[in-house]
Amino acid sequence: MPSYLALKHLHLTAVVLSIALFALRGGWMLMDSPHLRRRWVRIVPHLVDTVLLGSAIGLTLILQQYPFVNSWLTAKVLALIVYILLGHIALKRGSTRTIRAVAGIAALAVFGYIVSVALTHSPLGFLAGW
């Protein structure tokens, strides 16, 4: 069980760092900040997200709960794909600042959904209790 707890804490830490870095980069993008061109800003988020994905895979193996077998994990994986696409639009591909801002807000909403699914173990997320 100690390896599970360590992996869970690593995963949760990576979740917090990942969303914090996304929000920071989104804010800098909206302000057209030169900070976005710093080397660490282009590297660290990818490292954090790699740790996040690796710890998620490790947790699925330890818990023996898998996407496309467990509906809540399937919902998380599908929502993760939507989050990545929206994040890509928000930080790189949006043609206007308005499109980027809307995509960023939508990405944050999807992130909230992913967290709610993780907490409730239901594809309905926080709506599961209603």
Side-chain angles (χ1 to χ4, degrees), residues 52-64:
L52 181 58
L53 180 60
S55 62
I57 291 169
L59 286 169
T60 63
L61 296 174
I62 288 173
L63 295 173
Q64 296 183 349

Side-chain angles (χ1 to χ4, degrees), residues 4 6 19 35 51-52 84 90 92 95 103:
Y4 164 75
I19 196 63
H35 293 301
V51 169
L52 181 58
I84 291 168
K92 294 188 189 241
S95 57

Side-chain angles (χ1 to χ4, degrees), residues 1-114:
M1 204 48 112
S3 63
Y4 164 75
L5 288 177
L7 199 54
K8 180 179 176 182
H9 287 291
L10 177 65
H11 183 72
L12 293 174
T13 300
V15 166
V16 170
L17 288 173
S18 181
I19 196 63
L21 288 167
F22 176 77
L24 179 64
R25 290 163 55 208
W28 283 345
M29 180 275 305
L30 290 173
M31 295 185 305
D32 200 23
S33 172
H35 293 301
L36 282 173
R37 292 182 285 285
R38 290 186 174 178
R39 184 173 170 83
W40 76 266
V41 175
R42 293 190 316 267
I43 295 171
V44 171
H46 298 294
L47 294 175
V48 169
D49 290 342
T50 300
V51 169
L52 181 58
L53 180 60
S55 62
I57 291 169
L59 286 169
T60 63
L61 296 174
I62 288 173
L63 295 173
Q64 296 183 349
Q65 294 185 350
Y66 306 102
F68 308 108
V69 173
N70 299 91
S71 61
W72 70 276
L73 280 175
T74 303
K76 277 183 65 176
V77 169
L78 295 176
L80 177 63
I81 293 167
V82 173
Y83 170 75
I84 291 168
L85 292 172
L86 288 169
H88 190 66
I89 293 167
L91 296 176
K92 294 188 189 241
R93 298 289 179 219
S95 57
T96 67
R97 188 169 287 164
T98 301
I99 290 172
R100 288 180 173 209
V102 169
I105 292 167
L108 292 172
V110 171
F111 179 83
Y113 167 74
I114 292 169

